[in-house]
Amino acid sequence: MLLPRWERKARIFLCVFGLCLSVYALHVELSKESNPEYRAMCDLGESVSCSKVFTSRWGRGFGLVQFFVDQHSPLNQPNSVLGIIFYSLQMALGLSLSKKAAWLLVFSSWVSVAGSLYLASILAFVLGDFCMVCVSTYIVNFALLFTNFKRRRAIDGMKEKAG
């Protein structure tokens, strides 16, 4: 059994799209911090504002890191930086056909989906906002989880046939 043909194309699309969303989110956050008058393209109204979300306390370290380190610590990075790292790792690990890489892809996807569910609940129930960029990243993360499950199953099948 080979990897599904669509898997590579889907991974590249999802990772590139996720990287673009993360870079844009970082741009919006940094622009808003340096210029409070900055208005992002994704700021459509009072309750549809990505810059409001990105500059909230939950926009850095999931709002949790600041309980362990200073708010301005290098460890308290914007969530978008974590997204850039995540999508880059997903792309790089996707080049390997090893079982270990497949397992890491699935595990890191579960972590990203858990983070997405956490941030989605903050978005809806605490901030009362709708962020198109955020929701798009949640969708990308769920799609990557699905893609990684299919990949792991295919790699397990390849290893069983070979061994």
Side-chain angles (χ1 to χ4, degrees), residues 5-17:
R5 283 188 202 193
W6 60 267
E7 188 273 340
R8 180 181 165 95
K9 290 178 184 175
R11 174 174 312 288
I12 291 169
F13 172 77
L14 292 168
C15 290
V16 168
F17 188 47

Side-chain angles (χ1 to χ4, degrees), residues 24-39 55:
Y24 179 70
L26 183 60
H27 165 74
V28 169
E29 182 175 348
L30 295 176
S31 297
K32 189 71 172 178
E33 285 177 0
S34 68
N35 176 10
E37 300 300 315
Y38 174 78
R39 184 167 167 86
T55 57

Side-chain angles (χ1 to χ4, degrees), residues 15-129:
C15 290
V16 168
F17 188 47
L19 277 167
C20 290
L21 290 167
S22 296
V23 168
Y24 179 70
L26 183 60
H27 165 74
V28 169
E29 182 175 348
L30 295 176
S31 297
K32 189 71 172 178
E33 285 177 0
S34 68
N35 176 10
E37 300 300 315
Y38 174 78
R39 184 167 167 86
M41 289 187 300
C42 53
D43 290 345
L44 302 178
E46 186 62 34
S47 61
V48 181
S49 170
C50 60
S51 61
K52 176 180 159 188
V53 174
F54 300 151
T55 57
S56 75
R57 87 166 225 228
W58 292 276
R60 287 183 167 264
F62 290 82
L64 301 172
V65 175
Q66 68 186 15
F67 293 122
F68 305 102
V69 298
D70 182 60
Q71 181 180 358
H72 302 291
S73 167
L75 297 175
N76 193 23
Q77 289 295 314
N79 295 344
S80 53
V81 170
L82 302 175
I84 291 167
I85 293 167
F86 170 72
Y87 296 119
S88 298
L89 285 172
Q90 285 281 311
M91 186 83 81
L93 285 171
L95 299 173
S96 172
L97 292 177
S98 77
K99 275 189 163 187
K100 219 177 253 188
W103 184 87
L104 282 169
L105 285 166
V106 171
F107 177 75
S108 62
S109 281
W110 272 117
V111 172
S112 77
V113 164
S116 294
L117 291 172
Y118 167 73
L119 291 173
S121 65
I122 297 294
L123 190 64
F125 303 116
V126 177
L127 295 174
D129 198 272

